Amino acid sequence: MKKMLLTSRCWLYAVAVLALLTSCASSKKSTSSQQYMNKQYKELKNVLNEAEVSIIKDSLKVIFPNNVLFASSSDQLRDEIKPTFSHFADVLNKYDKTKILITGHTDNTGTAAYNRELSERRAESTKRLLGQYQVNNDRMFTWGQSDRDPIATNDTEAGKAKNRRVEFVILYDVKQ
């Protein structure tokens, strides 16, 4: 129960941070911003066919498949994912009226302090790679989630691999 409350609280903080960073006011969004995001969604689905791309209210969420991003205890993206990130960056650059929140995650191996720091390094490493592909750093924000939001069990190696990830939340920037 305590872990569920902590996870819920983390998501509330994430929503608050996203709202502040992007100055999004969904009630003021026009149909053109929704069309813009829908168009970007379709292009991401087409380009990133191995990734999970979804629309959540006024934002897009991108999660790459398990076991392709990071080895255990590593913040270095695997070489085989880099060409995919190049295509991802191309779409992000084409749709430059958005902000990108990159959240790093870990499995539950190690101490809480170590996992927090590792998740932050994973998010920063991903931001640097996208920056190498010309995605503007001012559009990207990072946040380390540690092991607070697992998407699979940490009782198996396969589950731990799924939890070693970064997630992307893409929001329309109303200041554009």
Side-chain angles (χ1 to χ4, degrees):
M1 179 71 167
K2 194 174 193 179
K3 187 171 183 168
M4 186 184 303
L5 288 173
L6 182 59
T7 300
S8 297
R9 198 174 311 143
C10 289
W11 278 110
L12 287 174
Y13 289 133
V15 170
V17 167
L18 287 173
L20 289 172
L21 291 175
T22 61
S23 301
C24 285
S26 61
S27 62
K28 295 180 182 179
K29 286 195 175 206
S30 68
T31 347
S32 64
S33 66
Q34 291 168 347
Q35 290 171 346
Y36 186 89
M37 294 302 284
N38 284 334
K39 191 174 177 184
Q40 183 178 19
Y41 165 77
K42 289 176 184 172
E43 192 159 341
L44 285 169
K45 287 286 279 186
N46 187 41
V47 170
L48 304 176
N49 47 4
E50 73 276 2
E52 179 184 324
V53 182
S54 53
I55 296 178
I56 302 172
K57 295 191 180 187
D58 297 335
S59 65
L60 305 178
K61 186 173 186 178
V62 178
I63 303 174
F64 286 90
N66 65 315
N67 211 20
V68 296
L69 296 179
F70 303 100
S72 182
S73 298
S74 174
D75 64 352
Q76 297 303 305
L77 287 156
R78 295 178 186 257
D79 287 336
E80 57 265 24
I81 196 66
K82 292 179 181 179
T84 302
F85 268 56
S86 173
H87 299 302
F88 183 37
D90 289 343
V91 176
L92 293 174
N93 287 330
K94 182 176 178 180
Y95 294 90
D96 62 352
K97 294 180 183 178
T98 58
K99 298 283 186 181
I100 304 119
L101 175 64
I102 305 166
T103 57
H105 300 267
T106 66
D107 58 35
N108 67 351
T109 306
T111 66
Y114 176 78
N115 284 334
R116 185 188 72 251
E117 189 253 326
L118 177 60
S119 67
E120 290 169 1
R121 287 194 337 254
R122 285 179 173 168
E124 285 294 328
S125 174
T126 304
K127 178 181 176 180
R128 279 192 303 279
L129 179 60
L130 289 173
Q132 290 174 8
Y133 295 122
Q134 311 310 313
V135 178
N136 185 328
N137 279 330
D138 293 339
R139 295 177 53 210
M140 296 184 285
F141 303 89
T142 60
W143 188 24
Q145 279 286 303
S146 186
D147 63 347
R148 292 182 294 217
D149 190 26
I151 58 172
T153 181
N154 277 305
D155 296 332
T156 66
E157 287 306 312
K160 287 182 179 189
K162 286 183 179 183
N163 292 328
R164 292 189 298 266
R165 69 193 191 283
V166 288
E167 294 182 0
F168 303 87
V169 178
I170 304 166
L171 295 129
Y172 188 80
D173 184 7
V174 296
K175 294 181 182 179
Q176 287 280 330

